């Protein structure tokens, strides 16, 4: 007899991510993450798998989080990052066994690294206090008196950095090389933030990202340079507004592939794959004909550390990369001659991958709405798959999950809009059930064919769940993703309501009088907007939301530019910002509303919640407010585990009370 999913199953489910193939193509390492309920922490360990025998072995243990594993060029060692000593440091583990060895002590830890092709050293990216060296000792902060923070730029805080959200002053990120015996040599100079993308196979060139502009408040670019290791001479690879990165050299070092999106549609611009020919100096856009974004833009709440390479070369100078398309995250294949086609099937989320040099076999990390995710080998030619890991098999065998049925309906302007509907897990033919409508954040992300613990929990509690990708969502055309900009609360709101109409018209098991609504970030904005513009929902839960674009402009870490990008106005057009602010319509709210917000959310600061709560409360509205300490904007995904559980309790409890 099977049981239904519970909120506590967050402690049972195991996240399997980040496969990396060995140079011999016969084995791989990956990361398994689980939540330790007693310690209230996430632990991520390195595992090894033999592809032929499917034998899985745990390689690291203890109270740590491992990430970024990479095989040495000869396949005899694996380097990885671990926070076992608090800071993220670089470790090396020999293939034939033994203890992992810390390579060196970097003062503020290591953020990323790449092996040198010689196998005798590694290139790292790490933070450094201006005017100091990597070998200098770090003063213990607990011995220092508090100091005033002199703000000298608009980009002075950032969500997710911890503490009070302020960026460290007098710090820069640099590239250095470190030998296996721990000798560190700094490579980059100045008070600039550098990021290392790749090393050429002959070891003579690096691809480094850096913006050396003195004032970067309105700089939204990080140029890529090809740097000669011997002379440090730089050649511009790309230098324009937008995001460009993930660069990788072809095996013959002639070509450099990278991904990027220009600033045509600000942060709504589709990402493409570009290839630079070092012999001709010409750059081509391999995915120009593909009206969908390259990369994984799926939003969910389960996978931890689901890192995947931006692009991967084969020995034949073909490329693999992820594409978000029609609710799927698929692996795509492209050649320099212009071939372009999907390499994995529909109706799934490929959230990690590793490609054999031949390009014929890949390891994929795959999830779908009723499958949390495992590793598989996948034959590109035949499509044949073999499951390599089985961490969640026992859980799936004893748990009833709800399938997600795809739907397509006509939204605003008669555009096709895509989504899913889930029946309650305890569904009985002929019975009526309440329906919860979920709205994702972003807005330039997408709901996907992936496992979503929150959706399954609501279904297990006896609710139907409707979730769609309204205009503004990624994974569809450039026109579709751009359509929400300058129209918040317009066509996007219409899409949500037309989705609700479609569900009520086509699924007679829905109780039309028992509808709920919830969403976070942009989804929180939409929840706030909806309750001020319709009374169709019996209850709503708004999370990490925006209520007032006027104050958001100045308090969010991205407010001063994101507001203009998305709403099309700034503080010189107060009326426009106020028109799109849910707070303006507070007097219309009749739906019981629960407000959930993290204390250390600097993306959508908690004052957004406070304004809405106090305003609604003074008006005598039915409203609740729950604050979560020490968590940032990502509470639902990576927040403190017990607080994630409490968040789910609050959501379920509110709907139980009012629906």
């Amino acid at each position: 007899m099977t049981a239904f999913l519970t909120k506590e199953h967050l402690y049972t489910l195991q996240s399997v991510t980040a496969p990396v193939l060995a140079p011999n193509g016969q084995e791989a390492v990956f990361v398994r993450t689980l939540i330790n309920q007693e310690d209230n922490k996430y632990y991520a360990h390195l595992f090894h798998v033999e592809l032929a025998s499917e034998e899985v072995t745990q390689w690291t243990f203890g109270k740590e989080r491992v990430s970024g594993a990479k095989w040495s060029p000869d396949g005899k060692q694996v380097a990885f990052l671990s926070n076992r000593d608090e800071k993220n440091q670089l470790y090396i583990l020999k293939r034939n066994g033994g203890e992992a060895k810390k390579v060196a002590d970097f003062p503020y830890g290591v953020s990323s690294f790449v092996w040198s092709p010689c196998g005798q050293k590694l290139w790292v990216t790490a933070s450094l206090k201006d005017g100091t060296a990597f070998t200098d000792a770090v003063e213990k902060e607990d011995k220092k008196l508090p100091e005033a923070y002199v703000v000298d730029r608009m980009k002075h805080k950032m969500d997710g950095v911890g503490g009070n959200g302020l960026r460290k002053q007098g710090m820069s990120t640099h590239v250095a090389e470190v030998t296996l015996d721990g000798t560190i040599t700094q490579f980059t100079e100045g008070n600039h933030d550098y990021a290392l993308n790749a090393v050429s196979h002959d070891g003579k060139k690096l691809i480094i990202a850096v913006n050396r502009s003195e004032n970067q408040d309105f700089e939204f670019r990080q140029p890529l340079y090809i740097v000669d290791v011997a002379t440090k001479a730089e050649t511009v690879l790309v230098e324009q507004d937008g995001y460009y990165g993930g660069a990788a050299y072809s095996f013959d070092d002639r070509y450099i592939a990278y991904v990027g999106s220009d600033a045509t549609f600000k942060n709504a611009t589709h990402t493409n794959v570009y290839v630079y020919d070092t012999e001709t100096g010409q750059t081509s856009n391999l995915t120009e004909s593909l009206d969908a974004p390259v990369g994984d833009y799926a939003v969910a709440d389960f996978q931890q550390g689901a890192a995947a390479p931006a692009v991967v070369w084969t020995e034949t100078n073909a490329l693999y990369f992820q594409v978000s398309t029609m609710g799927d995250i698929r692996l795509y294949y492209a050649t320099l001659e212009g071939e372009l086609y999907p390499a994995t099937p529909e109706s799934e989320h490929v959230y990690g991958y590793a490609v054999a040099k031949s390009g014929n076999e890949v390891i994929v990390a795959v999830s779908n709405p009723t499958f949390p995710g495992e590793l598989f080998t996948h034959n590109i030619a035949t499509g044949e798959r073999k499951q390599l890991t089985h961490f969640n098999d026992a859980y799936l065998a004893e748990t009833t999950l709800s399938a997600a049925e795809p739907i397509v309906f006509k939204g605003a302007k008669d555009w096709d809009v895509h989504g899913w509907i889930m029946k309650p897990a305890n569904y009985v033919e002929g019975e009526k059930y309440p329906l919860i409508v979920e709205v994702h954040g972003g807005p330039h992300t997408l709901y996907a064919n992936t496992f979503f613990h929150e959706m399954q929990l609501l279904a297990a509690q006896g609710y139907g769940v409707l979730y769609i990708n309204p205009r503004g969502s990624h994974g569809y055309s450039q026109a579709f993703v751009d359509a929400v900009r300058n129209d918040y609360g317009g066509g996007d709101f219409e899409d949500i309501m037309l989705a609700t109409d479609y569900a009520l018209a086509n699924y007679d098991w829905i109780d039309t009088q028992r509808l709920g609504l919830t969403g976070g970030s942009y989804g929180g904005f939409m929840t706030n907007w909806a309750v001020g513009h319709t009374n169709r929902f019996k209850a709503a839960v708004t999370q990490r939301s925006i209520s007032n674009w006027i104050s958001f402009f100045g308090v969010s870490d991205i407010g001063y530019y994101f507001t203009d990008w998305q709403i099309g106005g700034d503080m010189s057009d107060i009326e426009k910002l106020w028109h799109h602010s849910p707070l303006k319509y507070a007097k219309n709210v009749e739906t019981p509303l629960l407000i959930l917000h993290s204390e250390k959310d600097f993306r959508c600061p908690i004052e957004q919640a406070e304004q809405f709560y106090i305003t609604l409360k003074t008006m005598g509205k039915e409203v609740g407010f729950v604050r979560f300490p020490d968590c940032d904007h990502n509470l639902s995904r990576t927040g403190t585990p017990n607080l994630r559980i409490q968040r789910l309790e609050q959501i379920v409890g509110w709907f139980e009370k009012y629906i």
Side-chain angles (χ1 to χ4, degrees):
M1 182 176 180
T2 62
F4 295 122
L5 179 142
T6 69
K7 59 184 181 299
E8 289 82 10
H9 282 160
L10 276 178
Y11 298 122
T12 305
L13 289 159
Q14 301 180 56
S15 173
V16 186
T17 63
V20 186
L21 264 171
N24 63 16
Q26 304 302 309
E27 56 188 321
V29 291
F30 62 91
V31 176
R32 190 281 311 270
T33 305
L34 47 75
I35 299 174
N36 184 290
Q37 186 172 3
E38 183 178 346
D39 293 344
N40 201 30
K41 290 184 177 180
Y42 301 85
Y43 293 137
H45 296 116
L46 189 68
F47 280 71
H48 173 270
V49 58
E50 294 279 357
L51 303 191
S53 67
E54 302 174 40
E55 182 180 355
V56 174
T57 306
Q58 185 168 348
W59 272 10
T60 69
F61 301 82
K63 297 180 177 182
E64 65 174 347
R65 294 196 76 168
V66 164
S67 62
K70 294 179 178 67
W71 291 87
S72 62
D74 62 8
K76 293 182 179 180
Q77 302 177 93
V78 174
F80 59 89
L81 301 178
S82 171
N83 66 350
R84 60 182 64 179
D85 291 332
E86 294 188 6
K87 296 184 181 73
N88 234 21
Q89 298 286 6
L90 180 62
Y91 292 81
I92 290 181
L93 184 63
K94 292 185 181 298
R95 165 67 182 81
N96 58 5
E99 291 290 329
K101 175 189 173 184
K102 187 192 297 185
V103 179
D105 269 311
F106 285 83
Y108 301 95
V110 175
S111 55
S112 66
F113 71 92
V114 179
W115 278 96
S116 172
C118 68
Q120 301 303 307
K121 63 183 181 181
L122 303 100
W123 292 94
V124 305
T125 304
S127 293
L128 190 60
K129 194 171 184 179
D130 295 343
T132 66
F134 280 116
T135 52
D136 291 347
V138 179
E139 293 182 41
K140 289 187 177 181
E141 294 187 5
D142 58 358
K143 292 184 178 180
K144 295 174 61 178
L145 294 172
E147 295 181 357
Y149 187 98
V150 180
V151 177
D152 60 354
R153 64 198 65 191
M154 286 189 278
K155 290 181 183 176
H156 68 277
K157 65 178 182 177
M158 185 171 68
D159 187 70
V161 302
N164 54 13
L166 298 174
R167 296 173 184 261
K168 288 187 180 296
Q169 291 183 311
M171 299 282 290
S172 304
T173 304
H174 284 280
V175 175
E177 63 176 20
V178 55
T179 60
L180 298 187
D181 65 5
T183 302
I184 304 172
T185 304
Q186 186 171 331
F187 184 78
T188 55
E189 301 172 349
N191 301 334
H192 310 292
D193 289 322
Y194 293 84
L196 176 63
N197 275 227
V199 183
S200 61
H201 291 86
D202 63 9
K204 296 180 179 180
K205 297 286 196 301
L206 304 180
I207 300 175
I208 289 176
V210 61
N211 186 330
R212 296 190 178 98
S213 298
E214 187 65 29
N215 185 338
Q216 297 187 22
D217 283 338
F218 288 98
E219 291 276 328
F220 303 103
R221 63 191 179 95
Q222 194 173 33
L224 294 178
Y225 297 94
I226 305 168
V227 184
D228 186 280
V229 171
T231 67
K232 296 190 179 182
E234 297 179 350
T235 301
V236 173
L237 179 59
V238 59
E239 185 175 18
Q240 65 182 81
D241 285 350
Y243 165 80
Y244 296 90
Y249 273 96
S250 61
F251 280 91
D252 60 7
D253 280 339
R254 174 174 174 176
Y255 301 102
I256 299 170
Y258 58 93
V259 299
S261 56
D262 63 32
T264 303
F265 304 98
K266 303 302 181 185
N267 61 325
T269 309
H270 276 173
T271 299
N272 285 289
V273 174
Y274 297 90
V275 173
Y276 173 77
D277 187 335
T278 62
E279 291 187 5
T280 66
Q282 298 299 308
T283 300
S284 59
N285 182 349
L286 288 193
T287 54
E288 190 172 14
S289 63
L290 184 66
D291 197 7
V294 170
D296 181 355
Y297 288 92
V299 59
D301 63 355
F302 172 64
Q303 298 299 342
Q304 297 292 324
V311 290
V312 172
W313 286 97
T314 71
E315 290 179 324
T316 59
N317 280 346
L319 284 161
Y320 283 94
F321 46 88
Q322 295 162 298
V323 173
S324 296
T325 172
M326 297 297 293
D328 297 323
I329 314 300
R330 304 177 71 179
L331 201 60
Y332 264 64
Y333 170 90
T335 66
L336 300 182
E337 293 72 37
E339 291 180 275
L340 178 66
Y341 56 81
T344 57
E346 297 177 334
S347 303
E348 65 181 24
H349 177 194
V350 175
Y351 61 87
Y353 70 100
V355 182
K357 293 178 182 179
S358 66
N360 298 326
E361 293 274 348
V362 299
I363 297 177
V364 285
V366 176
S367 176
N368 65 46
T370 57
F371 188 72
E374 301 281 0
L375 301 186
F376 296 79
T377 57
H378 180 92
N379 185 288
I380 297 297
T382 67
E384 181 182 355
R385 277 190 180 170
K386 180 174 67 173
Q387 187 169 340
L388 289 175
T389 63
H390 300 268
F391 289 96
N392 294 300
D393 282 7
Y395 174 82
L396 292 173
E398 62 189 26
T399 309
T400 297
L401 298 176
S402 182
E405 177 187 340
I407 61 172
V408 178
F409 62 94
K410 293 296 182 181
K413 299 182 180 178
D414 212 32
W415 287 6
D416 283 347
V417 179
H418 176 226
W420 297 263
I421 192 165
M422 298 167 61
K423 290 179 179 177
N426 62 348
Y427 175 79
V428 176
E429 187 72 32
E431 296 290 325
K432 293 283 189 179
Y433 298 91
L435 180 74
I436 307 298
V437 180
E438 289 257 8
V439 187
H440 66 64
H444 309 309
T445 57
L446 76 151
Y447 282 137
N449 277 305
T450 195
F451 186 80
F452 213 124
H453 177 264
E454 180 180 324
M455 308 291 196
Q456 290 290 348
L457 177 64
L458 290 171
Q461 294 292 319
Y463 298 98
V465 184
L466 172 66
Y467 55 107
I468 71 160
N469 287 324
R471 63 203 56 232
S473 302
H474 259 316
Y476 305 90
S477 71
Q478 181 66 80
F480 190 87
V481 70
D482 187 53
V484 72
R485 294 176 62 235
N486 303 337
D487 190 37
Y488 272 47
D492 51 354
F493 174 58
E494 192 175 347
D495 283 348
I496 299 294
M497 300 314 297
L498 288 171
T500 306
D501 293 339
Y502 175 89
L504 297 182
N506 288 275
Y507 298 92
D508 58 10
W509 52 263
I510 299 173
D511 186 337
T512 60
Q513 301 304 307
R514 301 175 67 199
L515 305 178
L517 176 68
T518 188
S521 196
Y522 164 80
F525 158 84
M526 182 52 66
T527 300
N528 294 344
W529 183 270
V531 297
H533 289 79
T534 180
N535 295 325
R536 293 184 64 184
F537 298 101
K538 283 199 71 176
V541 180
T542 183
Q543 307 169 54
R544 57 189 185 278
S545 69
I546 296 172
S547 67
N548 182 354
W549 287 104
I550 298 172
S551 62
F552 179 87
F553 184 92
V555 297
S556 168
D557 61 344
I558 62 173
Y560 73 92
Y561 58 87
F562 183 85
T563 304
D564 186 37
W565 289 0
Q566 295 294 309
I567 303 301
D570 56 22
M571 294 299 283
S572 65
D573 193 351
I574 296 295
E575 288 303 316
K576 186 168 190 177
L577 301 189
W578 187 236
H579 171 75
H580 289 282
S581 296
L583 189 63
K584 177 181 178 180
Y585 309 97
K587 64 181 181 298
N588 301 331
V589 176
E590 296 180 11
T591 305
L593 179 69
L594 175 64
I595 301 171
L596 306 181
H597 220 107
S598 294
E599 297 278 4
K600 294 185 177 179
D601 186 338
F602 300 108
R603 183 60 37 89
C604 298
I606 198 168
E607 63 86 31
Q608 294 286 305
E610 292 169 334
Q611 288 188 72
F612 210 37
Y613 173 74
I614 294 299
T615 300
L616 292 173
K617 201 71 174 172
T618 59
M619 293 178 174
K621 309 294 185 178
E622 190 67 33
V623 59
F625 185 19
V626 181
R627 307 168 70 113
F628 295 87
D630 300 323
C631 289
D632 59 25
H633 195 63
N634 293 297
L635 166 64
S636 65
R637 300 177 283 267
T638 60
T640 306
N642 76 301
L643 294 179
R644 290 180 65 184
I645 298 294
Q646 290 180 30
R647 168 187 166 273
L648 293 170
E649 289 173 346
Q650 291 291 336
I651 294 171
V652 170
W654 191 261
F655 287 139
E656 282 180 350
K657 182 177 181 180
Y658 289 101
I659 294 182

